[in-house]
Amino acid sequence: MTEATEHTFITRFRIPKRMWQAYGTAAARQGVDRSADLVDHVRAFIKEHGNEQELAALAAAEQELTERRARKGGRPKKEQTA
């Protein structure tokens, strides 16, 4: 994937199912989206511990998110097949 075609993506990581479920219910109770909370955590971690290159990558990623969110209408939802 080239820099021009990189975008947000779905990633997998290992976590005990009970922990993930507890995180989900606790987050929902606080009105927090798990994905957004994880992105916020990653952002804060990079800001605190990142080197110059990682901070530059974060800045580029933030710009990408800003541009994606500014897009009018966004992408159409995928149609569900029966």
Side-chain angles (χ1 to χ4, degrees), residues 48-70:
E48 184 175 347
H49 303 288
N51 62 25
E52 196 173 302
Q53 182 179 2
E54 293 155 348
L55 291 169
L58 175 61
E62 295 287 17
Q63 179 63 34
E64 177 186 337
L65 286 173
T66 298
E67 290 168 1
R68 287 169 140 305
R69 290 176 181 151

Side-chain angles (χ1 to χ4, degrees), residues 1-9 64 67-68 71 75:
M1 197 179 314
T2 67
E3 244 182 80
T5 61
E6 289 179 356
H7 54 84
T8 58
F9 67 102
E64 177 186 337
E67 290 168 1
R68 287 169 140 305
R71 209 171 36 211
R75 292 187 178 151

Side-chain angles (χ1 to χ4, degrees), residues 3-36:
E3 244 182 80
T5 61
E6 289 179 356
H7 54 84
T8 58
F9 67 102
I10 297 171
T11 187
R12 293 175 42 153
F13 62 96
R14 297 181 68 84
I15 186 170
K17 187 173 186 174
R18 289 179 184 171
M19 185 183 296
W20 184 247
Q21 290 171 333
Y23 178 44
T25 57
R29 192 170 51 256
Q30 296 301 313
V32 173
D33 175 82
R34 274 190 295 206
S35 293

